[in-house]
Amino acid sequence: MNTPLSWIKAYVPDLDCTAQEYMDAMTLSGSKVEGYTQFDKNLDKIVVGQIVSASPHPDADKLIVCSVDIGNEAIQIVTGAKNVGTGDKIPVVLDGGKVAGGHDGGPLPDGGVKIKKGKLRGVESFGMMCGIEELGSSREFYPEAPENGVYIFPEDTPVGADAIELLGLHDADFEYEITSNRVDCYSIIGIAREAAATFGCDFLLKKPECPGNNENVSDHFSVSVEAPDLCSRFTARMVKNVKIGPSPKWMQRRLAACGIRPINNFVDITNYVMKEYGQPMHAYDMSTIAGNKIIVRRANDGDKFVTLDGQTRTLDRDMLMICDGEKEIGIAGIMGGQNSMITDDADTVLFEAACFDGTNVRLSSKRLGMRTDASGLFEKGLDPNTASEAIDRACELVEQLGCGEVVGGMIDVHGQLPVPTTIPFRPDWINRFIGTDISEADMVGYLEKIDIEVDLANAQVTVPTWRQDLKQEADIAEEVARFFGYDNIPTTLPRGEATAGKLSFKLRIEELARRVAQYAGFDQAMTYSFDSPKVYDRLLIGKDDPIRKAVEISNPLGEDFSIMRTLPLNGILTSLALNYNHRNKNVRLFELAHVYLPKAVPVTELPCEKVMFTLGFYGEGDFFTLKGVAETFLSKAGLTKKPSYDAAAEIPFLHPGRKAAISYDGTEIGYIGELHPLVAKNYDIEERTYILVIDMAEVTKRASFDVKYKGVAKYPSVTRDISMLMKKEIQAAQIEQAIEKCGGKILESYELFDIYEGAQIMTGFKSMAYSITFRAKDRTLEDAEVGKVMDKLIRTLSELGIELRS
Amino acid sequence: MSMNERLEKIRQEALERIAQSGGLDKLEEVRVAYLGKKGELTEVLKGMRDVAPEDRPKVGQLVNEARAIIEKRLDEARSELARAARELKIASETIDVTLPATKTPAGYPHPNTLALDEVERVFVGMGYEVVEGPEVELDYYNFEALNIPANHPAKDEQDTFYINKEIVLRTQTSPVQVRVMEKQKPPIRIIAPGRVYRSDEVDATHSPCFHQIEGLVIDKGITMADLKGTLAQFAKEMFGAETKVKFRPHHFPFTEPSAEMDVTCFKCGGKGCRFCKGEGWIEILGCGMVHPKVLSMSGIDPDEYSGFAFGIGLERIALLKYEIDDMRLLYENDERFLKQF
């Protein structure tokens, strides 16, 4: 929404402020001004001059030397303009003045263009004659301006007058961000009402009047609304003996200031009224309307229709159409048809001002892929009461412009029209609610300024129908608050019962995960929650794997964003790939984010959202680096038992010989491994890549921050080293289980200190050496006691086919 | 030679040898030569039997004196040697402190997390509990319960990702408000950070997936002044004690009155610069008094309780605070980016 200041001032004549002051005050009272364009920012010392004489330049064929009367004196100006001659009145920028741009109409330089006297081919020139482009506008908005030439004023223009004033350029255009609840502010009148209330000025709005001639429009044609659910009101008036031509300068200037191109008087009138009242209008050439009647009905599926812009549109039965006795002539609220558009030969014109259902217009315009100024207004939900005023205003303008004979009467088809509503008004409640001490009189003053009637006796206010957003006391409180000024409301802190500030236990465990990952050198990544179903192929997931069952988005941005991820890998792998591609070395990333597991497909209830702790890296380190991170995290989270690793678990995206499912206390809590070489290839990572995924819910369930001091050992320990020879397939875990089983109470710890395969050992075998520490809490261990345990261990190991090495 | 003279000679010789020794091994030789089992002083003591009984105490005293002084000198010489050796060692160990540092391997937090931690710190300190809600959310909680009825333009498909008619990807963290109010009695003070989704194509300022932090306070007698005070406090904690705030009327379906809060530009302090596009102010969050309809739909009596809510765009805070000029960087996870936070 935009409004020129001059048009606002037409309704608020006392408004006296700079553009910046206007912007600040309007923003603080709720009509946010995003910015403004000051048209005369770079226009200085520009007056109306009259060419008194013109003679050829002695040294240049393309230049002429003019004497120009600028009111109090005549100055010499050399010009190359071809369209001027003696007697013409033109804008002249004087020595030391400024214009907005060049004559080519290119982008306007920020600081404008300074004009100084100088010599052109040896002849002195004391100023410059201006074209409309040099004044910062264009022929689009000033259609009377010549192409590539100097602007010429009408003959009756006073010489020496302010040329900028005459062109309506001492003005500023403001751009607003109007919130969706304030439909009334998508109009000059709505904004002007707000401006008057903001600045405490009078708001002068005259109800348009135009009785027309003594005929009655109802004798000429009829309107029937067959879809009253989609059209709450349809008004129509008729203008005879139409004289199509340009609209007057004042109207053109106002439209131009809003950025609306003047076309002809009738089109300009409909645009003018739309801008002024926020009510879209349409004008039909009566001669094209068959059967002298208009029918408002739904379209038929598949119907074709050619809109004003010459495009053929395909309709459906949820679109509302304006039809005559035979055919469709407009898409209601969106765009008229080519078949009924006004041409220069029009003799009788039919104006329409209607109110269509906002949602229907919005959805139809979306399906048609066309959004117009009109549809943009309708879709916000207009007040049907505005339609009659707007159509009267259009007819009033026709009479004012003398471009036709308005026929008496109005066709007005409507159901129940909105009536003003009442809302309780309790000033003390409002003060309590917003924390202020505003007097009742001040509140009444604020409300009456925006046409809300206050009835103190009955403690209620009456709200005009154009304020459909005001429904209850809190809404009235906002009206009071914004004109009192949000800035004037005091600042306090909530009192009352204290509450404990805290993170949930779940979030504390996540924080711990972050700390551990960062401590281990992993940077935190964030990736999208969306995936492509193709990700499963890239990760070598089987066609029937249930993990492929995902929450699908019905209107995704594209296939890559079409499902909610069920695996947390694609994000981290894509990020690792990006780093690899950027030649970053030794990259370690982690992410804490959700996977979304549907309970049924298609989705019928909310899916299970699980936080996964996902780590991935390439470069320095190996499988055991990640295993260390996993175990550090688990133990810090209070999961102090030893997790177990199942190398046989099926994890298709991991290297078959370098992977494991991680279990804690018999429950699988995650997996770890080297990325399958094929998957690495699919992501274009040409280094060994390792990943670790931990299901945070499983950790949180078992986590605890409770710690108990267990004392420091008082008695000496006994350490025994044991070196073993075994088949390669035997896992360290088997040996460790044996150590734990046989060690019993006196086992304190054990550590693998050597592992070897190679020349000194037969093929298919390896050697492993453990250092085992025993200690008793209450006494010094005897050699025999330790010896017994070791004998038992050696027996157990030999049952596993593990031999001692001497 | 009298015993006296003999002892004096031994003493002098010993002290001279100590002074010239120049090494621990030499000192040990001296010790052995004079104080050892067969050392000269020991020999003197062994020869006591030749001394007249009446002179023995005197001689014994002299021998002890000589031993004491030799031992003292030996100790002194030893510690002097140790000191010299230590100094030599220290002198030889000088390093070039300007050589490159050995990098600590610690990883870096995501800038979003960095910003969120700060926001959480401020509000937890003010007694707010950090809670969460589902990202895949019922249409009811995301819209209807927030006073956004069916056919509201905000529900338009162009903004919302739908799973089906009843289930959406939440477009805001505000549904958490409703979920909290439904199960918790006032007083309520919560913030709810989390991911939200809007159907926007990825570019420098848009992302289909981003984060918000919702705030909600419900109690008896909560006023708009409390809202202003709380958020002004937040702004000072977050952006510096000098930060000023400005509240502009705005519209959200679930608050009334509603406002947007601007803070003075933290780069220029409000004078106007390129960073704040010359305005001196930067828009930070939306807020308002919880709409009475929202309260009653969530089972809270609006005649008894009132409250305020606010929503902060986490990425917006992160981008502004750390002067990141392209939102895509936040989701690409280039290490060269991440390692700056």
Side-chain angles (χ1 to χ4, degrees):
Chain A
M1 175 65 192
N2 64 325
T3 70
L5 191 56
S6 60
W7 206 343
I8 297 298
K9 280 185 176 169
Y11 289 100
V12 193
D14 300 339
L15 184 61
D16 182 21
C17 59
T18 65
Q20 186 64 44
E21 285 164 356
Y22 180 85
M23 169 162 159
D24 292 344
M26 290 298 280
T27 297
L28 285 180
S29 72
S31 307
K32 188 182 179 191
V33 178
E34 302 235 282
Y36 62 87
T37 311
Q38 186 80 46
F39 296 127
D40 56 0
K41 184 176 81 165
N42 289 322
L43 300 178
D44 196 19
K45 290 194 168 181
I46 302 173
V47 298
V48 177
Q50 184 170 31
I51 301 173
V52 262
S53 66
S55 52
H57 189 289
D59 289 327
D61 291 348
K62 292 186 174 168
L63 297 178
I64 52 171
V65 181
C66 302
S67 172
V68 180
D69 177 6
I70 54 166
N72 44 8
E73 60 174 321
I75 58 170
Q76 178 170 295
I77 294 178
V78 180
T79 180
K82 292 187 182 64
N83 69 320
V84 290
T86 307
D88 282 346
K89 291 180 175 173
I90 43 100
V92 173
V93 54
L94 305 175
D95 178 32
K98 228 200 257 187
V99 292
H103 60 80
D104 55 354
L108 302 178
D110 219 25
V113 181
K114 278 204 171 150
I115 301 299
K116 281 189 208 135
K117 66 178 177 190
K119 282 184 179 169
L120 273 88
R121 289 276 185 117
V123 178
E124 282 195 304
S125 182
F126 294 88
M128 184 181 83
M129 302 180 198
C130 308
I132 198 69
E133 289 79 10
E134 281 152 331
L135 299 176
S137 191
S138 73
R139 290 187 68 226
E140 264 202 305
F141 300 112
Y142 291 81
E144 74 280 12
E147 209 169 333
N148 302 322
V150 167
Y151 185 86
I152 298 176
F153 285 109
E155 281 171 25
D156 57 356
T157 309
V159 172
D162 181 347
I164 300 314
E165 176 79 43
L166 290 168
L167 289 167
L169 290 170
H170 282 316
D171 202 354
D173 185 40
F174 295 88
E175 183 66 42
Y176 305 84
E177 181 201 325
I178 302 295
T179 54
S180 63
N181 60 327
R182 290 304 302 275
V183 193
D184 61 305
C185 284
Y186 285 92
S187 67
I188 298 283
I189 288 173
I191 295 282
R193 185 184 287 114
E194 286 287 320
T198 301
F199 288 91
C201 301
D202 287 336
F203 173 56
L204 305 181
L205 177 64
K206 188 180 132 297
K207 200 175 157 64
E209 274 174 42
C210 182
N213 65 18
N214 50 17
E215 292 174 57
N216 192 326
V217 62
S218 303
D219 298 336
H220 293 277
F221 76 102
S222 64
V223 171
S224 74
V225 176
E226 292 178 1
D229 55 328
L230 300 184
C231 174
S232 54
R233 190 175 198 184
F234 194 103
T235 68
R237 292 195 71 173
M238 199 173 181
V239 181
K240 297 204 305 189
N241 303 323
V242 161
K243 292 187 280 288
I244 303 281
S247 57
K249 290 282 178 292
W250 65 265
M251 185 177 273
Q252 291 190 2
R253 297 286 176 267
R254 277 199 178 155
L255 292 174
C258 299
I260 301 171
R261 206 153 49 92
I263 311 276
N264 64 42
N265 42 17
F266 275 80
V267 174
D268 291 356
I269 285 172
T270 57
N271 282 336
Y272 190 90
V273 173
M274 176 161 80
K275 193 77 198 168
E276 198 169 39
Y277 282 81
Q279 166 69 53
M281 303 228 8
H282 194 69
Y284 301 92
D285 184 339
M286 235 350 238
S287 67
T288 65
I289 297 181
N292 286 332
K293 63 178 168 189
I294 278 185
I295 301 161
V296 184
R297 60 160 174 83
R298 285 174 163 81
N300 299 309
D301 273 339
D303 280 2
K304 303 279 184 209
F305 182 68
V306 181
T307 41
L308 269 176
D309 55 5
Q311 303 283 312
T312 304
R313 314 280 176 175
T314 306
L315 308 175
D316 63 50
R317 76 180 124 203
D318 290 321
M319 292 174 186
L320 190 66
M321 300 301 294
I322 312 298
C323 309
D324 64 14
E326 294 168 354
K327 60 186 184 297
E328 288 148 338
I329 55 172
I331 307 176
I334 301 176
M335 194 180 270
Q338 206 174 37
N339 56 14
S340 58
M341 69 189 265
I342 302 237
T343 59
D344 287 350
D345 319 322
D347 175 64
T348 305
V349 163
L350 184 71
F351 279 129
E352 164 206 304
C355 188
F356 302 113
D357 179 69
T359 306
N360 179 264
V361 171
R362 179 164 55 87
L363 297 177
S364 297
S365 97
K366 210 175 160 246
R367 283 201 304 284
L368 288 165
M370 59 187 306
R371 213 159 171 274
T372 59
D373 288 343
S375 73
L377 283 167
F378 278 121
E379 67 183 39
K380 292 174 178 75
L382 298 183
D383 175 13
N385 290 313
T386 315
S388 54
E389 274 186 47
I391 206 160
D392 283 347
R393 174 64 170 159
C395 293
E396 188 183 67
L397 286 168
V398 167
E399 286 191 343
Q400 198 180 328
L401 268 52
C403 55
E405 181 186 349
V406 177
V407 174
M410 175 197 298
I411 293 184
D412 187 1
V413 183
H414 61 79
Q416 178 66 48
L417 292 175
V419 290
T421 50
T422 59
I423 298 173
F425 175 61
R426 293 179 293 167
D428 55 335
W429 179 85
I430 291 177
N431 274 325
R432 275 206 310 280
F433 187 56
I434 56 181
T436 48
D437 192 17
I438 306 168
S439 73
E440 184 180 272
D442 283 349
M443 289 194 194
V444 172
Y446 299 142
L447 296 174
E448 286 181 341
K449 270 274 169 227
I450 46 171
D451 293 329
I452 295 173
E453 282 172 39
V454 182
D455 176 359
L456 288 175
N458 293 308
Q460 64 182 29
V461 294
T462 304
V463 175
T465 56
W466 64 80
R467 290 302 304 274
Q468 293 166 14
D469 59 311
L470 302 180
K471 295 190 177 83
Q472 50 205 341
E473 279 186 283
D475 300 324
I476 301 303
E478 181 175 75
E479 297 308 289
V480 169
R482 65 192 184 93
F483 289 111
F484 174 68
Y486 279 15
D487 273 1
N488 296 323
I489 296 173
T491 54
T492 55
L493 287 175
R495 289 168 298 272
E497 211 178 306
T499 46
K502 61 185 174 194
L503 287 182
S504 67
F505 187 68
K506 169 181 173 285
L507 289 171
R508 286 180 64 197
I509 302 295
E510 287 175 21
E511 200 177 83
L512 174 70
R514 265 163 48 199
R515 281 212 307 271
V516 170
Q518 278 166 219
Y519 178 76
F522 288 76
D523 298 328
Q524 189 183 13
M526 285 198 185
T527 69
Y528 292 136
S529 318
F530 314 110
D531 262 345
S532 158
K534 286 190 180 137
V535 161
Y536 299 113
D537 298 336
R538 222 175 294 158
L539 292 172
L540 314 178
I541 305 280
K543 290 286 172 222
D544 301 320
D545 196 310
I547 202 74
R548 282 183 180 256
K549 293 205 166 85
V551 175
E552 278 179 45
I553 297 163
S554 67
N555 56 333
L557 282 179
E559 199 194 23
D560 283 353
F561 296 101
S562 64
I563 59 169
M564 298 302 281
R565 60 181 171 196
T566 59
L567 282 170
L569 295 170
N570 183 53
I572 216 95
L573 291 178
T574 305
S575 297
L576 285 174
L578 175 129
N579 278 285
Y580 183 79
N581 186 35
H582 288 175
R583 297 169 201 273
N584 297 335
K585 284 188 184 121
N586 298 324
V587 174
R588 295 182 171 195
L589 297 176
F590 79 97
E591 182 173 27
L592 272 164
H594 284 127
V595 293
Y596 309 82
L597 306 174
K599 291 170 185 158
V601 177
V603 173
T604 51
E605 57 184 312
L606 297 187
C608 175
E609 295 181 17
K610 292 212 290 186
V611 178
M612 303 305 262
F613 182 25
T614 308
L615 300 93
F617 78 90
Y618 63 79
E620 271 170 32
D622 57 20
F623 180 96
F624 303 100
T625 310
L626 272 182
K627 192 173 171 184
V629 178
E631 294 188 359
T632 304
F633 168 57
L634 294 177
S635 74
K636 279 190 180 286
L639 280 72
T640 48
K641 292 185 212 166
K642 214 172 143 63
S644 62
Y645 297 86
D646 176 9
E650 287 218 15
I651 309 168
F653 40 82
L654 295 183
H655 187 303
R658 297 179 171 198
K659 59 150 171 52
I662 309 171
S663 290
Y664 188 84
D665 246 358
T667 306
E668 198 170 304
I669 59 164
Y671 47 84
I672 179 172
E674 184 181 319
L675 202 60
H676 196 293
L678 213 54
V679 177
K681 189 167 167 273
N682 288 343
Y683 282 91
D684 292 325
I685 307 174
E686 290 167 21
E687 276 195 64
R688 290 186 187 273
T689 301
Y690 298 89
I691 59 160
L692 164 66
V693 175
I694 294 178
D695 182 341
M696 289 294 286
E698 294 298 340
V699 174
T700 306
K701 251 190 250 171
R702 296 168 173 81
S704 164
F705 289 119
D706 285 344
V707 179
K708 294 277 185 291
Y709 173 60
K710 292 191 189 76
V712 173
K714 289 194 187 84
Y715 296 91
S717 63
V718 178
T719 298
R720 292 290 160 86
D721 291 351
I722 175 172
S723 180
M724 296 156 282
L725 187 68
M726 71 206 79
K727 283 193 173 146
K728 246 180 98 171
E729 295 76 42
I730 293 203
Q731 289 183 320
Q734 290 172 273
I735 296 168
E736 291 175 7
Q737 267 166 22
I739 295 172
E740 281 174 23
K741 203 177 102 201
C742 304
K745 271 188 175 175
I746 61 166
L747 175 69
E748 185 178 72
S749 63
Y750 51 86
E751 192 190 353
L752 175 73
F753 69 87
D754 186 46
I755 179 160
Y756 178 79
E757 303 172 31
Q760 274 140 67
I761 289 177
M762 25 178 183
T763 320
F765 281 73
K766 65 182 172 186
S767 92
M768 288 176 104
Y770 274 87
S771 176
I772 308 172
T773 304
F774 301 94
R775 196 196 300 265
K777 272 183 196 154
D778 50 353
R779 66 204 137 92
T780 301
L781 281 177
E782 309 259 336
D783 265 3
E785 209 176 340
V786 174
K788 240 170 87 182
V789 168
M790 288 304 291
D791 289 346
K792 192 175 158 197
L793 174 62
I794 289 159
R795 276 199 308 278
T796 311
L797 290 172
S798 79
E799 280 164 25
L800 292 169
I802 298 169
E803 288 168 35
L804 282 199
R805 284 184 91 195
S806 43
Chain B
M1 195 158 45
S2 74
M3 186 58 90
N4 251 355
E5 285 164 343
R6 193 170 155 207
L7 280 171
E8 183 57 31
K9 188 167 167 267
I10 292 171
R11 201 172 66 121
Q12 291 225 340
E13 274 177 18
L15 295 184
E16 218 159 286
R17 281 183 64 185
I18 289 169
Q20 289 165 359
S21 67
L24 284 172
D25 44 348
K26 287 271 179 349
L27 282 177
E28 184 60 14
E29 277 173 26
V30 175
R31 190 190 66 80
V32 172
Y34 293 93
L35 309 178
K37 278 182 186 162
K38 290 179 181 167
E40 287 196 39
L41 268 183
T42 322
E43 292 299 319
V44 171
L45 281 178
K46 281 180 187 163
M48 273 297 241
R49 57 178 170 265
D50 302 332
V51 176
E54 63 274 23
D55 292 340
R56 281 182 196 163
K58 174 89 174 138
V59 172
Q61 195 195 339
L62 285 172
V63 171
N64 282 340
E65 274 173 19
R67 169 183 281 275
I69 196 148
I70 293 167
E71 276 179 345
K72 186 167 170 262
R73 282 295 174 85
L74 274 170
D75 276 353
E76 282 169 4
R78 275 196 208 100
S79 62
E80 172 57 26
L81 277 172
R83 192 190 59 78
R86 192 164 61 236
E87 276 179 11
L88 199 67
K89 183 160 186 271
I90 287 172
S92 72
E93 285 175 347
T94 302
I95 56 164
D96 176 359
V97 295
T98 64
L99 285 173
T102 307
K103 297 226 168 49
T104 51
Y108 292 75
H110 192 278
N112 276 349
T113 305
L114 212 54
L116 177 60
D117 278 350
E118 288 211 46
V119 175
E120 285 181 350
R121 175 180 56 79
V122 175
F123 283 106
V124 166
M126 291 199 268
Y128 289 62
E129 188 181 348
V130 184
V131 301
E132 295 174 287
E135 294 168 27
V136 184
E137 180 58 288
L138 293 174
D139 179 275
Y140 173 80
Y141 285 107
N142 196 68
F143 294 120
E144 215 146 307
L146 291 168
N147 198 27
I148 307 170
N151 292 324
H152 192 282
K155 284 189 69 171
D156 200 310
E157 266 197 290
Q158 68 184 26
D159 302 315
T160 310
F161 286 118
Y162 282 89
I163 305 303
N164 59 36
K165 273 180 83 176
E166 279 89 37
I167 299 176
V168 302
L169 300 189
R170 68 175 174 191
T171 59
Q172 48 197 357
T173 40
S174 310
V176 186
Q177 282 184 33
V178 182
R179 286 182 174 272
V180 168
M181 285 190 282
E182 277 183 352
K183 61 171 196 253
Q184 193 182 329
K185 288 290 139 228
I188 295 170
R189 287 179 193 181
I190 56 123
I191 57 168
R195 289 194 175 200
V196 299
Y197 302 87
R198 302 263 173 100
S199 177
D200 287 320
E201 294 284 351
V202 178
D203 65 26
T205 53
H206 292 90
S207 166
C209 166
F210 56 103
H211 295 74
Q212 281 186 345
I213 306 156
E214 193 74 11
L216 176 72
V217 172
I218 307 281
D219 205 348
K220 285 179 180 155
I222 296 291
T223 69
M224 199 165 162
D226 295 337
L227 161 72
K228 278 187 66 182
T230 301
L231 293 176
Q233 177 80 14
F234 161 69
K236 283 189 201 305
E237 294 270 352
M238 193 76 192
F239 303 113
E242 303 301 311
T243 308
K244 290 191 193 66
V245 296
K246 182 169 81 178
F247 290 83
R248 287 178 285 102
H250 198 71
H251 169 67
F252 303 107
F254 39 94
T255 52
E256 188 76 30
S258 305
E260 277 184 336
M261 185 176 91
D262 297 344
V263 297
T264 39
C265 175
F266 19 91
K267 193 129 196 206
C268 65
K271 289 194 285 283
C273 64
R274 276 181 61 189
F275 192 64
C276 56
K277 299 188 184 80
E279 290 185 12
W281 295 93
I282 291 174
E283 185 188 319
I284 284 295
L285 55 82
C287 56
M289 300 300 289
V290 180
H291 199 290
K293 261 193 184 168
V294 174
L295 288 177
S296 49
M297 269 192 284
S298 311
I300 289 178
D301 181 0
D303 291 330
E304 192 179 354
Y305 293 102
S306 56
F308 61 79
F310 51 88
I312 305 169
L314 181 58
E315 276 79 358
R316 182 165 175 76
I317 300 271
L319 294 182
L320 287 169
K321 211 170 151 66
Y322 311 124
E323 300 180 22
I324 302 166
D325 55 6
D326 190 330
M327 196 159 170
R328 285 170 289 207
L329 291 167
L330 295 174
Y331 291 92
E332 277 179 357
N333 307 308
D334 189 321
E335 185 196 56
R336 294 166 298 176
F337 170 78
L338 293 175
K339 290 218 183 286
Q340 297 185 28
F341 298 95

